[in-house]
Amino acid sequence: MEVKKLDSWFQVKVSDAQKNQTIESYLKNEWQFPKKLLHELRMAKGCKVNGEIKPWNMILLPDDQVEILLFNEEDYGVTPQNQSIEICYEDDHLLIVNKPFGVDTHPNEKGQLNTLANGVAYHFQENGLKIKVRHIHRLDKDTTGGVVFAKHALSSSILDSMLSQRKIKRTYTAIVEGNVKSLKGTINEPIGRDRHHPTRRRVSPKGDKAITHYTKKKYISKSNITILECQLDTGRTHQIRVHLSFLGHPLIGDVLYGGKRKLLNRQGLHASNVQLIHPFTKEELSINIPFPTDIQQILNEKR
C-alpha cells in the first residue's frame, strides 16, 4: 500500500483490487481500523475521497484518492527529556529504538524520568511531532535491545494485534553459563510468581503457559559459556531468564536466577533482531539491533 503523508493526513490511491468497496469497508479491510477508532474517525470527519467529505456508504473506484486523518496532536504522555537514543528504524508509522542497559522502557510512576520513553518523547518534540509515546512491548531494565514504538493510534492498534498473534518476531541473543548440549530445543514450562520473593518468577504447574525456543550458536570453552538465540511464543515476565535457569544454564550476570557475575555486571541478554511485515507498506522488515560493547566483546571471543 503506497501512502503519501500530507501534514496530519495520509493519502492513498485505491487500487483495482480494492475497488467496489464502501468507504467504511475499505477502512476496515485495507486499513484494519478497529471499531472504536473507526467511530472516532467518523466523528472527526477524518476521511476524504478526492478531496471531499463523502458518505461512508459511497462505493470506491480505482484511482480514487482517499485521505485519512491519522495524526492528531496529543500529549506525549511522558515528559520529553534530552537524552541520547539509538534509532534503528523509523518511518511515519513506527519507530524501533535500541534500549541501553539500566534504563526502564517507560515510567513506572507518574513523573519518572530517565526512561526510554522520555527520550522518545524528546525525539518526537525535536522533529515537530506532538504525538503520544506508545510502546508495543517492554524489555527488563537490565536487558538491552530493540523496542518497538507506534507513531499513531491506528499503528498502535495494528501492532498490538500483530504482537498478540506472534506476527512480530523478536530474536534474543542470550549468553549462558556452561555448555548447552542440544543444538536446538524448546522449553515448554508454565511460569508463575515466586511467593518467597517480590520480583522473582519461577516454573510452576499453576503458572501461565510459557514457551521458549532456543538455538545454539557458539560454545566458548575458555569462558565455559554458550551463545544462544531465543524466540518466544509467549511473553511472560522474565521468561527467558526463568526458562534458561530451569534448563540449568542461567544467563551470565543474572544473580536473581542463579547466574554469577564473572563476565558481566548484569544479565547477558540482548533483543538483537525484530522482524515483521510492515502493517501499511507490507514490506518485510528485519531490523538488526547493534550489541552493546561489553556483549559484543564476549561474542567476539574465540571458541
Side-chain angles (χ1 to χ4, degrees):
M1 189 186 297
E2 185 177 343
V3 294
K4 179 181 178 183
K5 188 174 188 294
L6 300 169
D7 295 324
S8 297
W9 297 74
F10 269 76
Q11 184 184 80
V12 61
K13 184 184 289 187
V14 176
S15 70
D16 194 61
Q18 297 166 339
K19 67 182 179 181
N20 297 331
Q21 298 184 77
T22 65
I23 293 173
E24 184 166 5
S25 295
Y26 172 78
L27 293 171
K28 286 180 181 177
N29 297 335
E30 308 299 335
W31 284 79
Q32 302 177 59
F33 266 91
K35 189 174 181 179
K36 180 176 180 290
L37 289 182
L38 203 62
H39 174 73
E40 290 175 0
L41 191 72
R42 190 194 296 268
M43 293 298 101
K45 300 189 183 305
C47 183
K48 301 177 187 176
V49 179
N50 301 323
E52 297 179 6
I53 303 294
K54 298 288 187 181
W56 279 31
N57 60 358
M58 171 187 169
I59 300 296
L60 294 173
L61 301 174
D63 297 331
D64 276 342
Q65 296 284 349
V66 178
E67 292 177 39
I68 303 168
L69 181 64
L70 286 187
F71 285 116
N72 295 303
E73 281 203 353
E74 305 169 283
D75 187 88
Y76 295 112
V78 299
T79 303
Q81 183 183 21
N82 186 3
Q83 55 178 282
S84 176
I85 61 171
E86 183 179 0
I87 295 171
C88 300
Y89 178 86
E90 183 175 19
D91 62 21
D92 292 319
H93 306 283
L94 62 101
L95 171 74
I96 302 177
V97 181
N98 191 359
K99 189 187 83 66
F101 156 70
V103 173
D104 285 319
T105 300
H106 60 89
N108 295 308
E109 55 187 40
K110 190 174 180 180
Q112 182 181 342
L113 296 175
N114 302 311
T115 75
L116 191 63
N118 297 115
V120 168
Y122 185 82
H123 169 72
F124 288 162
Q125 186 180 68
E126 285 295 285
N127 286 274
L129 299 174
K130 194 152 198 266
I131 53 178
K132 186 177 179 181
V133 177
R134 297 175 167 93
H135 64 276
I136 301 304
H137 61 100
R138 297 175 294 178
L139 291 177
D140 291 345
K141 185 173 184 176
D142 291 346
T143 299
T144 57
V147 177
V148 180
F149 292 85
K151 292 181 69 175
H152 53 79
L154 179 60
S155 179
S156 178
S157 173
I158 295 172
L159 289 169
D160 280 340
S161 177
M162 288 174 66
L163 187 71
S164 66
Q165 296 173 48
R166 302 198 295 274
K167 291 181 179 178
I168 298 178
K169 185 177 175 183
R170 291 171 290 160
T171 300
Y172 294 81
T173 297
I175 307 172
V176 303
E177 296 183 1
N179 185 5
V180 177
K181 300 300 182 184
S182 301
L183 295 179
K184 289 186 176 182
T186 295
I187 308 168
N188 186 349
E189 297 288 346
I191 292 175
R193 290 183 176 273
D194 186 336
R195 58 190 177 90
H196 301 294
H197 194 283
T199 59
R200 191 163 53 206
R201 302 302 197 268
R202 65 185 182 93
V203 166
S204 167
K206 295 181 180 179
D208 296 316
K209 181 178 180 180
I211 301 174
T212 303
H213 306 284
Y214 65 88
T215 302
K216 183 178 181 179
K217 306 303 291 184
K218 182 180 180 181
Y219 172 64
I220 302 173
S221 57
K222 176 184 174 183
S223 304
N224 190 30
I225 57 173
T226 302
I227 312 300
L228 301 176
E229 281 190 353
C230 300
Q231 290 175 345
L232 310 181
D233 282 357
T234 51
R236 306 303 171 205
T237 301
H238 298 176
Q239 180 172 320
I240 292 176
R241 300 166 66 186
V242 173
H243 271 171
L244 293 180
S245 178
F246 177 80
L247 190 67
H249 297 280
L251 293 167
I252 63 170
D254 188 4
V255 293
L256 185 61
Y257 292 104
K260 297 179 177 61
R261 294 195 186 280
K262 291 191 298 182
L263 300 174
L264 281 178
N265 288 324
R266 59 180 173 87
Q267 62 212 31
L269 186 63
H270 178 77
S272 51
N273 181 271
V274 178
Q275 282 184 282
L276 70 152
I277 303 297
H278 195 290
F280 299 104
T281 68
K282 306 307 178 186
E283 177 187 2
E284 291 186 17
L285 298 180
S286 180
I287 310 301
N288 290 322
I289 314 298
F291 293 100
T293 303
D294 53 358
I295 287 183
Q296 187 63 62
Q297 288 174 343
I298 294 172
L299 299 180
N300 289 342
E301 286 188 28
K302 294 182 179 180
R303 296 174 188 269

